[in-house]
Amino acid sequence: MSTPSRRGSARKSTHHTVPRTARPYWNMRVEPRLGTARLNALRLRRLRGVLTHVSRHSRYFQDLFGTHRISPRAIRSFEDFRATVPLFTKEDHRSAQETSLRAAGHGLGTTLAVPREDLRLFCATSGTTGEPTFYLFSDEDLAVWCEGRSRAFWRAGLRPGMRVMIGFGLGMFVGGIPNVFAARAFGLGIVPVGAEAGSARLLKFARLTRPHALLATPSLALHLIEQSPGVIGQEVRSLGLRVLLLGGEAGVGIEDTRHRLEDAYGARVFDLQGPNMSCSPPRERIGQTSYYGLHRLMDDFYYYELIDPETREPIPFEEGAVGELVTTQLWPGAAPFIRYTAGDLQQVFVRPCPCGATGYRSRFVGRTDDMLKVKGVIVYPAGIQGVLAAFQPCDLTGEFRIVLTEPPPKVTPPLRLKIEHAPGAEGRLPAIELRIKDLFHTRLKVSPEIQWMSPNTLPKPAGKREVFERKYHTPSTGS
C-alpha cells in the first residue's frame, strides 16, 4: 500500500453528507459507532495491516517477530494478537533508540518503519533518564493526529474560523507543534504564543487577539487566574475565552479544580489527554458531578487493553475495571507503537455516558512510575492534588511538592509535603493543617507531615508541573 493512499484513507473520513451546522460530530461516518462492536472488523483489518507494515520495514519488529515466530497472517483475532505479541515498554523504547544510534548512526530507534526522509515532525520527552524519547510523525501520522484533534475541537464547540491560543510548550513537546498542525487543518486561526513565553505574554496576547479557546496545562490555566489582574488589570474572565482544552497533567478530573476554572474563566473546560477528551456538560443539567472521564475519540485508530501492573496479566475491559493501559496504533506510521505500555493506570467505563456522546471512557488514576507506598497504602500524586484542591484558593495556592528521601515507591512515614499557603492565610495555618490531615485520612488513609511555604516560593515551570523533590542520590545514567 503506497503512502499517498494511506494518507488519503485518514483524510477521507472527514468528508460528510450531513449539513455542517447540524451534525453532532466531526466524523459522522465513524463517531456514532465509537465504543461499539461495529468497528471491530475495521480495527482488526487495520491491525493486521500495521503488523505487516512493521514486519517489512522496522528492524525492531523484524527481530521480535523472528524471535517469537510471529506471522501477521496468522493473527486472526485480537485474542491472537494479545497472546502472541509481547509488550513494548518505555525501557524497550529507550533501548531501541540506543541500538539504532550504535548501529545506524541515529538515535531515532529501531522501531522506525519509514525512510528518514519521510519524517515530517520530531517530538520528544526527556523522560526519567534525561535522555530524549522520540515521537516521530510521517504524513500519515500527522493526518491521523489532525483527524483526532478535529473530532475533539468539534465536540468542544469550536468551528472553522474561530481562534485558538496555544499555551502548551512549543519546543519538542507533543502537545505543542502537533496541535498547531491540527488547528490549521481544522481551519482555526492560531495564536502560537507557547508556554515558554510566560504568563504575562500569554495574557497580553489573549487580550489583543481575543481567542475563542486556550490549549494549555491545568496548572498554567490556574496560574493565569492569579496573574491576570496584575498583568492586564482585569480578571481572566474578561478575555472572553469560551473553551479551555487542558492536558499534560492531572487537574481537570478533580471537581474542585475544574469548577474553579469554569467559574473564573466563564468557559467550558475539557480534559485533553492524547487522542481523547472529556465531555463538559453544564452543571445545572447534570449536577455537581460533571466529569465522566475521557471519551475515546479514536477507537477506529487505536486498540486498547488493560493489564495488571505487577503480574502483567490481562484485565477484562469492563465497567469500572482498573489497570495499566496498553496501546496499539492501527495505522502504518513512522514508528508505530505496538502493545505499548507507558505506565498509565486507568479506570474504564463502557456504559453510555450521561452526556449522550459516543466513545467509551477512562479516568486517569495515576502513573506506575509515580506510585508511592506509605505503610502499605498506595498513594498517587493525583490523589494528593485532589485533596489539596478542596482548599483552593482561599487557603492554598495549589502548589505543592512531595519530598522523597529515598527512591520510590517506598516512603518511610510520614509522607512529607511542602505546601504553599494562600496570601493572608498565615494566621489560620494550624486550623488549615488539621483540616487537610483529616481529609487525607478520610480519602487517602495516610497522614502527611506539612512544611508550609509562602506564596510564590515553589517554582512554577512553563511545562508540566514537577511534584517531586528528590533528596536522595540518583546514580548517573551517563557513560
Side-chain angles (χ1 to χ4, degrees):
M1 186 182 293
S2 65
T3 299
S5 64
R6 291 202 308 268
R7 185 167 64 247
S9 66
R11 289 177 177 167
K12 284 179 183 177
S13 63
T14 63
H15 294 283
H16 312 280
T17 58
V18 178
R20 300 186 73 179
T21 55
R23 69 178 193 260
Y25 302 115
W26 168 259
N27 189 324
M28 290 300 296
R29 294 180 179 176
V30 173
E31 288 186 75
R33 298 185 288 162
L34 292 177
T36 72
R38 296 165 62 195
L39 284 177
N40 283 347
L42 169 66
R43 298 166 74 219
L44 184 58
R45 183 168 69 250
R46 286 180 170 175
L47 173 64
R48 296 182 67 188
V50 74
L51 293 178
T52 299
H53 173 67
V54 297
S55 71
R56 293 174 178 172
H57 302 294
S58 164
R59 175 184 166 184
Y60 178 89
F61 288 105
Q62 287 172 349
D63 293 344
L64 182 74
F65 289 6
T67 299
H68 293 272
R69 298 183 180 180
I70 298 170
S71 170
R73 292 183 178 181
I75 294 178
R76 303 290 182 180
S77 66
F78 290 115
E79 290 76 13
D80 290 345
F81 171 62
R82 295 194 301 267
T84 305
V85 179
L87 297 170
F88 181 70
T89 67
K90 290 187 293 184
E91 291 72 24
D92 294 328
H93 194 176
R94 287 191 286 266
S95 177
Q97 292 186 173
E98 294 167 0
T99 299
S100 72
L101 185 60
R102 293 193 302 267
H106 66 77
L108 301 179
T110 53
T111 58
L112 187 65
V114 299
R116 276 185 286 168
E117 53 267 28
D118 287 350
L119 296 175
R120 298 292 177 262
L121 182 63
F122 300 75
C123 291
T125 176
S126 62
T128 56
T129 66
E131 293 298 321
T133 302
F134 284 105
Y135 298 89
L136 308 172
F137 291 78
S138 64
D139 284 328
E140 175 77 351
D141 296 309
L142 285 172
V144 173
W145 174 271
C146 291
E147 169 68 12
R149 276 295 181 262
S150 292
R151 296 179 188 183
F153 291 154
W154 191 271
R155 291 193 185 204
L158 299 183
R159 298 295 182 263
M162 290 184 173
R163 296 174 299 281
V164 60
M165 174 175 283
I166 308 295
F168 286 124
L170 293 174
M172 300 293 284
F173 180 49
V174 177
I177 296 299
N179 278 319
V180 174
F181 277 88
R184 181 181 181 276
F186 186 78
L188 296 173
I190 305 162
V191 187
V193 183
E196 302 92 336
S199 59
R201 194 167 177 84
L202 280 161
L203 288 164
K204 289 176 181 178
F205 269 90
R207 184 183 60 173
L208 293 170
T209 61
R210 309 298 291 184
H212 298 87
L214 170 68
L215 273 70
T217 62
S219 56
L220 178 58
L222 290 167
H223 187 54
L224 294 181
I225 296 173
E226 302 170 4
Q227 296 298 306
S228 184
V231 174
I232 63 174
Q234 296 175 302
E235 300 294 333
V236 74
R237 177 182 284 264
S238 70
L239 298 175
L241 286 159
R242 301 182 192 175
V243 172
L244 302 183
L245 293 164
L246 307 178
E249 61 189 27
V252 177
I254 300 169
E255 296 285 345
D256 294 291
T257 299
R258 185 175 65 262
H259 293 167
R260 183 184 176 200
L261 289 163
E262 290 170 342
D263 295 340
Y265 282 88
R268 298 178 71 195
V269 179
F270 297 86
D271 195 0
L272 191 68
Q273 303 289 345
N276 313 299
M277 187 183 75
S278 69
C279 51
S280 183
R283 272 185 268 168
E284 61 271 17
R285 181 166 66 86
I286 302 294
Q288 282 297 108
T289 300
S290 56
Y291 183 85
Y292 298 102
L294 294 156
H295 285 251
R296 297 282 162 175
L297 305 186
M298 294 287 281
D299 204 21
D300 49 328
F301 283 103
Y302 290 92
Y303 174 66
Y304 299 105
E305 311 166 49
L306 289 179
I307 61 171
D308 185 290
E310 295 184 358
T311 67
R312 318 307 273 173
E313 291 298 312
I315 294 174
F317 219 82
E318 57 191 21
E319 184 74 13
V322 177
E324 184 175 346
L325 193 69
V326 180
T327 303
T328 297
Q329 68 178 64
L330 302 180
W331 74 93
F337 287 124
I338 309 293
R339 300 202 74 211
Y340 182 61
T341 59
D344 285 345
L345 290 174
Q346 302 271 351
Q347 182 178 24
V348 300
F349 306 94
V350 298
R351 295 173 185 164
C353 183
C355 79
T358 59
Y360 77 86
R361 293 157 291 121
S362 66
R363 182 190 293 267
F364 179 75
V365 175
R367 293 185 57 83
T368 55
D369 289 347
D370 295 341
M371 182 180 72
L372 303 174
K373 287 186 178 181
V374 187
K375 295 179 68 174
V377 177
I378 295 177
V379 180
Y380 293 99
I384 294 173
Q385 185 179 349
V387 170
L388 298 182
F391 297 86
Q392 295 175 244
C394 296
D395 299 324
L396 308 179
T397 68
E399 290 297 323
F400 70 97
R401 296 294 184 272
I402 304 168
V403 181
L404 299 179
T405 57
E406 57 192 323
K410 180 184 177 182
V411 175
T412 301
L415 176 67
R416 294 172 174 84
L417 302 178
K418 289 184 177 180
I419 302 176
E420 276 190 4
H421 62 76
E426 292 85 351
R428 297 183 284 111
L429 292 184
I432 295 171
E433 184 166 334
L434 286 175
R435 290 164 51 215
I436 289 176
K437 289 184 175 181
D438 183 63
L439 196 55
F440 261 83
H441 178 74
T442 300
R443 291 189 183 179
L444 304 182
K445 311 304 179 186
V446 298
S447 181
E449 177 184 279
I450 297 174
Q451 178 183 348
W452 288 109
M453 309 295 291
S454 299
N456 300 314
T457 55
L458 292 175
K460 295 179 175 62
K464 293 183 181 181
R465 168 189 279 157
E466 175 55 61
V467 297
F468 291 114
E469 182 176 311
R470 303 176 193 272
K471 293 192 171 182
Y472 57 88
H473 175 68
T474 303
S476 173
T477 59
S479 58

